[in-house]
Amino acid sequence: MRQESATSLPRLTALLALLVAWVVTLSLPATYFALGYQALSAAVQTKVDIKAETMNQLIATQPEVWRYSEHRLRELLARYPLLREDEQVTAYDEADAELAAIGEAVPSPSLLFTSTLFDAGSVVGRIEIHRSISPLLLRTAVAAAVGLVLGVAVFSFLRRLPRLLEQVFEEKERALVTLHSIGDAVITTDRNQIVEYLNPVAESLTGWTRHEAVGRPLSEIMPLIDEETLESVTSPMAEALQKNEIHSFNTHVALQRRDGTALAIDDSAAPIHNSGGDVIGGVMVFHDVTTERSMAKRISWAATHDALTGLVNRSEFDNLMDEALASAHNSDKHHALCYLDLDQFKVINDTSGHAAGDAFLKQVSAMLLTRIRASDTLARLGGDEFGLLLDGCTMDRAKLIAADLLSAIRDLRFNWEGKIFAVGVSIGLVEISRDSGSRAELFTAADTACYAAKEQGRNRVAVYHATDTEIAKRRQEVGWATRLTAALEQNRFLLYYQDFRSLCGDDTAKHIEILLRMVDEEGKTIMPGSFVPAAERYNIMPAIDRWVITNVCAGYRELCRVLGSPLTCAINLSGTSMNSEGLLEFILQQIDRYDVPENALCFEITETAAINNLRHASEFMKAIRERGFLLALDDFGTGTSSFGYLKQLPIDYLKIDGSFVRSIDRDSMDRAMTETINHLGHLMGLKTIGEFAESESILEHLRQLGVDYAQGYGVHVPEPLPIYAENPAVFSSRRSAGEA
């Protein structure tokens, strides 16, 4: 049934269109002919009446002879109104006899118009005009042709009209469906900002239904506020209608919904024009950007803050330092920079894990924030180091704040799984004034002061003064950093060695310790005591240690040929190297690359380095032992917890610190300490080595105490390590040694 209706509708439309077309086609010529005929008849009838009136006047003046004056009659018939070429005028008497005629005979079709002649009230004749209607018919034919064209046009239009109406309806429906389906909210208003339409998304975001919103002001349906200040914001629709242009907000705007909640939105408004270009209303398009803005805020926060503690990070702290410097230089305003480095923090990490260390850092950060002013900025610069910018603060006030922070951290007790930890802090303090240098110079000064505080016994505040001897010494280390980097790049390091002596006589293997020297820019040899502290301070020591490891591994077999075999080479590893990433992998790579045999290398690690990162050191030592190489604990006896940690380390040799050995022949306390350490080492199955054995007397005392090996100037004065050109990796070192 529905299909039949769908089929019959076009047919009915076609028939209706044909009927209307025929009506239009026929009505135009018919109407034209009727109107033309009516106008023609009226004109000719008027003309014949006028001529009859003229004749009646003649009859009245000449009643007896008028009918016999043919020339006179013709003259009257020819007068106004003038005859057309397609007309003929004839005068007849009462007996229908022709009295006179003007004009040619008119062919058919024609029209006849008559007017009566009177004499004293009696009919005495008539006048007739014949008029051709051929011109009227011709014009009617033209009208018929126009009507036909118009009829065809009407027919075509009417045939297409249903489709056009259907397309318009479909466009409207499509537009409505689009507005209902798009993800953006849409609100349209008139030119007075009275709401006319809301799509479903707008209903959802505003909390108003379309039925409720239509007819209400836009400001009521869509109140806007500033996200930061929460103050009301004018709708962009007002700007769009006033300026007749698209307008949107650059600031962060929130929509206050009907239920009182707020949504962050991104919106724009545009005017709506009629066909004449006049503004008749506007459309507001917006969408919810709460998630995006929240994400952007989190990203922005993460870019400027430390993820663990929530404090400002190094990058943002640098920006704040630049601002403080600018204000100091431009307005003579004073600030202060504090550099805080926690003492003994590694103990927490090593004994309880990084989770404990992280928890402690968060606790310390939260506590420090409660001790500073609202105008100050605390930042985590990395690891256990913090920076504090004291804005608009005199040095006297800064010293009090630093002392308060020092006391607070010293009194802090951190409880983790039943263990109580206490740490300290070393603080470097520097003034920021008009005379201050660059940001880098300020950080260097604060860092130098902090390091000076550590060397003075830790847990104290050191104020930077350019004239201080100790701090000036630390500033020189900054120059050392540049020199050391250049020395590495230019291969200006030398390898020396020093023999061990077996005091028991049962060890035929040769033991040597690899020592390091540096050649300065002028070719002078520099002892390690001058540059190693700076190398460790500025984290250059890992690169230097790797240089030593590579050269020793590369030249090991040639060393065996010259010095004898079996040969054990002891290599010192600094604390910074132990804490660097990839050291173990690098050592194993060099061992495999140069096919170094087992027991050929003994890695010496200081007691302090091992204790400060006990877990990492223990894992490193186990891996080295598994590959068949040896380990020694250097400078043993100087740590505060030596005996407690010793049993956790898988070592082969225990090197007794030289501060005890060098005086055992004169100081009974040093002799007792040496004896105790030696005895403890033997109980644990370790070989012991006495350092700083500088005389035969000391050697004899070490032998009496049962120490296994002795090392020092009394055994062997260090000399350059034999380096051979057959090993490219160490050729440059041999060359430098020769030049030195």
Side-chain angles (χ1 to χ4, degrees):
M1 184 66 180
R2 184 174 300 174
Q3 185 175 1
E4 292 178 358
S5 299
T7 305
S8 61
L9 182 59
R11 293 179 181 176
L12 181 61
T13 302
L15 291 175
L16 181 60
L18 183 61
L19 177 61
V20 174
W22 273 112
V23 170
V24 172
T25 302
L26 296 177
S27 62
L28 182 61
T31 302
Y32 183 84
F33 180 79
L35 295 176
Y37 182 82
Q38 183 179 1
L40 177 63
S41 298
V44 176
Q45 186 63 50
T46 301
K47 183 182 289 189
V48 72
D49 289 342
I50 294 173
K51 290 183 179 297
E53 182 63 28
T54 304
M55 289 293 291
N56 285 334
Q57 293 176 3
L58 175 63
I59 294 172
T61 58
Q62 299 177 4
E64 299 297 335
V65 296
W66 67 273
R67 66 183 69 202
Y68 304 109
S69 303
E70 181 177 354
H71 292 288
R72 177 67 172 162
L73 293 176
R74 289 174 61 84
E75 181 184 357
L76 292 174
L77 292 177
R79 288 182 181 178
Y80 180 84
L82 298 176
L83 294 180
R84 292 167 51 94
E85 292 180 357
D86 57 350
E87 291 180 340
Q88 183 185 47
V89 181
T90 306
Y92 294 93
D93 61 10
E94 67 272 12
D96 292 329
E98 181 178 308
L99 298 176
I102 298 298
E104 300 294 333
V106 177
S108 298
S110 62
L111 297 178
L112 176 62
F113 297 90
T114 303
S115 184
T116 305
L117 300 175
F118 296 93
D119 181 12
S122 301
V123 177
V124 294
R126 69 180 187 278
I127 292 178
E128 294 182 352
I129 294 181
H130 282 79
R131 174 74 173 270
S132 175
I133 63 172
S134 295
L136 176 60
L137 293 177
L138 181 60
R139 291 192 295 273
T140 302
V142 174
V146 174
L148 180 60
V149 173
L150 185 59
V152 172
V154 170
F155 177 75
S156 299
F157 174 74
L158 292 178
R159 282 291 305 272
R160 294 177 57 198
L161 183 59
R163 181 56 184 162
L164 292 175
L165 294 175
E166 183 179 355
Q167 289 178 351
V168 172
F169 178 76
E170 289 177 354
E171 289 293 333
K172 182 178 179 181
E173 284 295 311
R174 189 177 295 113
L176 290 175
V177 170
T178 301
L179 290 176
H180 278 66
S181 302
I182 62 175
D184 286 349
V186 179
I187 298 178
T188 61
T189 71
D190 62 13
R191 62 184 304 168
N192 296 318
Q193 301 187 56
I194 301 301
V195 175
E196 293 181 340
Y197 171 80
L198 282 81
N199 72 346
V201 179
E203 291 180 330
S204 175
L205 294 184
T206 63
W208 291 82
T209 65
R210 180 166 49 175
H211 175 73
E212 295 172 326
V214 170
R216 295 178 181 268
L218 179 65
S219 58
E220 180 182 355
I221 303 303
M222 191 179 176
L224 301 178
I225 58 174
D226 187 286
E227 277 191 302
E228 302 297 332
T229 65
L230 301 182
E231 296 180 356
S232 296
V233 176
T234 304
S235 170
M237 181 71 80
E239 291 281 345
L241 295 179
Q242 180 181 357
K243 298 181 179 180
N244 192 19
E245 62 183 14
I246 298 176
H247 185 72
S248 60
F249 281 116
N250 294 325
T251 57
H252 286 177
V253 174
L255 166 66
Q256 193 165 9
R257 305 177 72 241
R258 190 177 185 182
D259 60 5
T261 59
L263 293 176
I265 63 169
D266 188 9
D267 62 352
S268 64
I272 299 175
H273 304 91
N274 60 15
S275 57
D278 298 324
V279 176
I280 60 173
V283 58
M284 177 81 78
V285 180
F286 57 97
H287 59 278
D288 183 5
V289 293
T290 303
T291 302
E292 292 87 341
R293 285 192 187 162
S294 177
M295 180 66 71
K297 289 180 180 178
R298 287 198 295 271
I299 293 174
S300 176
W301 187 92
T304 57
H305 290 75
D306 174 58
L308 175 64
T309 62
L311 301 178
V312 169
N313 62 16
R314 178 61 182 263
S315 176
E316 181 65 11
F317 194 69
D318 286 348
N319 295 334
L320 296 174
M321 281 289 296
D322 289 338
E323 294 177 5
L325 262 174
S327 69
H329 290 163
N330 299 330
S331 63
D332 201 23
K333 190 176 182 181
H334 288 253
H335 314 285
L337 170 64
C338 289
Y339 191 91
L340 298 85
D341 190 356
L342 297 178
D343 299 325
Q344 301 300 325
F345 170 72
K346 291 183 180 296
V347 174
I348 299 177
N349 268 342
D350 294 340
T351 58
S352 299
H354 289 290
D358 290 347
F360 176 72
L361 288 175
K362 289 192 286 187
Q363 183 175 335
V364 168
S365 300
M367 184 271 294
L368 291 176
L369 286 174
T370 64
R371 298 298 185 110
I372 62 177
R373 304 170 305 169
S375 59
D376 300 333
T377 302
L378 180 65
R380 184 186 179 201
L381 304 182
D384 57 353
E385 298 173 346
F386 297 84
L388 176 60
L389 176 60
L390 301 173
D391 184 70
C393 187
T394 64
M395 282 303 292
D396 290 338
R397 177 62 176 158
K399 291 176 183 178
L400 293 176
I401 294 175
D404 181 60
L405 298 180
L406 183 74
S407 175
I409 293 178
R410 185 172 53 215
D411 295 340
L412 181 65
R413 295 295 178 267
F414 176 64
N415 189 332
W416 182 265
E417 296 179 348
K419 297 179 181 178
I420 306 297
F421 295 93
V423 300
V425 64
S426 298
I427 302 178
L429 184 61
V430 61
E431 183 181 27
I432 305 174
S433 65
R434 180 184 292 274
D435 299 327
S436 296
S438 67
R439 167 166 47 88
E441 291 174 337
L442 285 172
F443 272 119
T444 300
D447 185 31
T448 301
C450 179
Y451 196 74
K454 284 184 176 294
E455 288 204 333
Q456 293 168 13
R458 302 178 184 268
N459 241 353
R460 65 190 61 213
V461 178
V463 180
Y464 172 78
H465 297 292
T467 57
D468 284 354
T469 303
E470 283 299 315
I471 293 181
K473 178 182 176 183
R474 297 307 160 198
R475 286 184 62 84
Q476 291 177 359
E477 291 184 354
V478 179
W480 269 113
T482 303
R483 295 177 64 188
L484 287 168
T485 302
L488 267 176
E489 294 174 351
Q490 299 167 15
N491 259 312
R492 286 191 283 107
F493 284 101
L494 304 176
L495 295 180
Y496 277 56
Y497 79 100
Q498 185 180 45
D499 283 335
F500 290 20
R501 177 184 295 179
S502 174
L503 300 179
C504 301
D506 59 348
D507 188 353
T508 59
K510 188 174 183 62
H511 296 262
I512 64 173
E513 180 176 356
I514 304 298
L515 306 175
L516 184 66
R517 305 289 187 267
M518 174 182 151
V519 179
D520 69 8
E521 295 80 0
E522 298 176 355
K524 297 179 181 179
T525 302
I526 308 299
M527 298 299 287
S530 299
F531 63 81
V532 167
E536 291 181 336
R537 177 66 176 158
Y538 295 100
N539 203 35
I540 303 174
M541 205 60 211
I544 296 176
D545 281 350
R546 293 186 184 212
W547 182 90
V548 173
I549 292 167
T550 300
N551 282 276
V552 172
C553 290
Y556 176 77
R557 295 194 180 277
E558 292 298 329
L559 289 176
C560 288
R561 187 175 67 84
V562 175
L563 299 179
S565 180
L567 173 66
T568 300
C569 298
I571 300 175
N572 287 279
L573 296 178
S574 68
T576 52
S577 293
M578 286 295 298
N579 293 327
S580 65
E581 293 292 332
L583 175 65
L584 175 63
E585 292 76 8
F586 178 81
I587 291 175
L588 298 180
Q589 181 185 32
Q590 300 306 308
I591 288 172
D592 293 337
R593 178 182 178 184
Y594 296 107
D595 194 23
V596 180
E598 294 183 359
N599 294 327
L601 302 178
C602 177
F603 294 98
E604 294 189 4
I605 302 170
T606 65
E607 177 192 8
T608 302
I611 292 175
N612 284 343
N613 202 341
L614 184 62
R615 184 172 59 182
H616 179 73
S618 178
E619 292 174 355
F620 172 84
M621 291 178 174
K622 289 178 181 177
I624 291 295
R625 286 287 299 276
E626 288 175 358
R627 286 297 302 269
F629 296 94
L630 306 172
L631 292 160
L633 192 62
D634 199 7
D635 298 337
F636 187 80
T638 58
T640 58
S641 305
S642 302
F643 299 105
Y645 289 108
L646 182 60
K647 59 184 178 181
Q648 301 182 38
L649 301 176
I651 58 176
D652 300 282
Y653 297 95
L654 193 63
K655 298 189 74 173
I656 305 169
D657 188 75
S659 61
F660 304 127
V661 175
R662 60 159 50 107
S663 302
I664 60 173
D665 58 344
R666 303 186 305 273
D667 191 313
S668 58
M669 181 66 72
D670 288 341
R671 178 183 173 87
M673 284 294 299
T674 302
E675 183 178 10
T676 300
I677 295 172
N678 179 68
H679 181 65
L680 177 65
H682 287 166
L683 287 177
M684 298 182 66
L686 306 177
K687 296 289 187 179
T688 56
I689 303 172
E691 298 180 300
F692 287 78
E694 299 175 351
S695 66
E696 285 297 332
S697 174
I698 293 175
L699 289 173
E700 182 58 31
H701 279 79
L702 290 175
R703 188 179 292 107
Q704 292 175 2
L705 293 176
V707 176
D708 298 295
Y709 297 92
Q711 179 189 4
Y713 276 52
V715 176
H716 178 219
V717 177
E719 60 180 295
L721 189 72
I723 302 295
Y724 298 93
E726 289 80 356
N727 296 299
V730 296
F731 178 69
S732 58
S733 295
R734 182 188 67 82
R735 179 181 60 190
S736 298
E739 293 173 355

